[in-house]
Amino acid sequence: DEEEEDEDEFGDDYEVEDGMSEDEDGEGERAWLETCYDPRFVLPACYNALASVGDDEDDARIARLAFESGGVAYAAAALSSKRSETRAIAAAVLGTFSEKLATGAASQDRGFVARPFVRTLLDATFAALKEASDPLRGPRRLPCLWSSVIARCFDALKSPRHPGFAVAAAHAVRRAIARPWHDAPLVRDAFINDQGIKNFGDDDARDKVRARFWAFECLVDGARDAHDARALKRAGALS
């Protein structure tokens, strides 16, 4: 079964660091913690901040703050963690965030320009996870290529002036259904059909170059293993 083979390969080849180390002396863990935020602390803190609010207006404010501060992107990136506990709390953060986005106050927040794109991308990701996950084992591990791209799309959607905004928006509106274990994200929207860039950005040659360069960086940085390479090859991104 090709899908099972992909999952096993992915699980062996790449691991998102969780502040833990297999080094016997623990030096790797201490070195990592000196330079990075530990998801064992950050994700529960994000979840508690989102879950503790009850008022509609406060819900909208905290949801926007969670998005603009990078907390939502951080949780999206954690969906590729090898640790099931990290994936579970990351999914809980994103689920609670999605609930806040659905409130009336959030829908009327005109300053939150990215809201419809973020909701569409989240809904597509959750639909894919629900279909592929075992309820007893928690969320299935997303390919790093997908979790990395989703996180970077959230970052790009913070501002229409971001070079990746148009590509991220186009990717979001086309993603009613996501197939993370088969497709490669962004390839079509950035390199095959530039209609999305025209729809959500300026029809300027320099802007298109910047948008495509941003997408190229996302794919290069996100691809970590043979699973990602096969997805890129199927999409025509690798010869």
Side-chain angles (χ1 to χ4, degrees), residues 1 4 6 12 18 32 34 36 43 61 75 80 83 102 104 132 139 147 153 177 224 236:
D1 188 294
E4 280 298 319
D6 282 355
D12 290 338
D18 284 355
W32 188 88
E34 288 176 359
C36 301
L43 291 173
R61 179 180 56 81
S80 65
R83 300 180 182 280
S147 65
C153 282
I177 299 175
R224 298 299 180 97

Side-chain angles (χ1 to χ4, degrees), residues 15-188:
E15 179 173 0
V16 173
E17 294 286 358
D18 284 355
M20 300 292 286
S21 172
E22 295 180 0
D23 296 351
E24 290 184 6
D25 58 6
E27 287 299 323
E29 177 179 349
R30 285 192 289 274
W32 188 88
L33 289 173
E34 288 176 359
T35 57
C36 301
Y37 294 110
D38 188 342
R40 294 174 301 172
F41 167 76
V42 175
L43 291 173
C46 287
Y47 176 78
N48 289 332
L50 284 165
S52 63
V53 182
D55 180 81
D56 240 22
E57 291 186 6
D58 284 342
D59 278 349
R61 179 180 56 81
I62 200 69
R64 185 173 170 184
L65 180 61
F67 178 74
E68 293 177 345
S69 68
V72 175
Y74 187 93
L79 290 176
S80 65
S81 172
K82 201 169 184 178
R83 300 180 182 280
S84 59
E85 297 87 351
T86 299
R87 296 197 304 272
I89 188 62
V93 169
L94 294 174
T96 306
F97 171 72
S98 185
E99 291 174 3
K100 305 301 181 186
L101 284 187
T103 62
S107 65
Q108 296 170 16
D109 184 358
R110 296 183 179 180
F112 198 167
V113 178
R115 179 183 171 276
F117 306 124
V118 174
R119 282 205 68 187
T120 303
L121 199 51
L122 275 177
D123 289 347
T125 303
F126 276 130
L129 283 173
K130 183 177 181 181
E131 184 177 340
S133 298
D134 180 346
L136 298 178
R137 298 176 61 187
R140 182 180 176 184
R141 187 181 180 207
L142 273 188
C144 186
L145 183 63
W146 271 85
S147 65
S148 175
V149 164
I150 292 170
R152 285 173 174 261
C153 282
F154 286 159
D155 183 62
L157 289 169
K158 290 178 186 177
S159 169
R161 294 187 296 275
H162 191 287
F165 181 89
V167 176
H171 179 66
V173 299
R174 198 172 61 81
R175 279 294 163 191
I177 299 175
R179 301 194 303 170
W181 294 276
H182 185 273
D183 295 341
L186 295 185
V187 174
R188 176 178 173 181

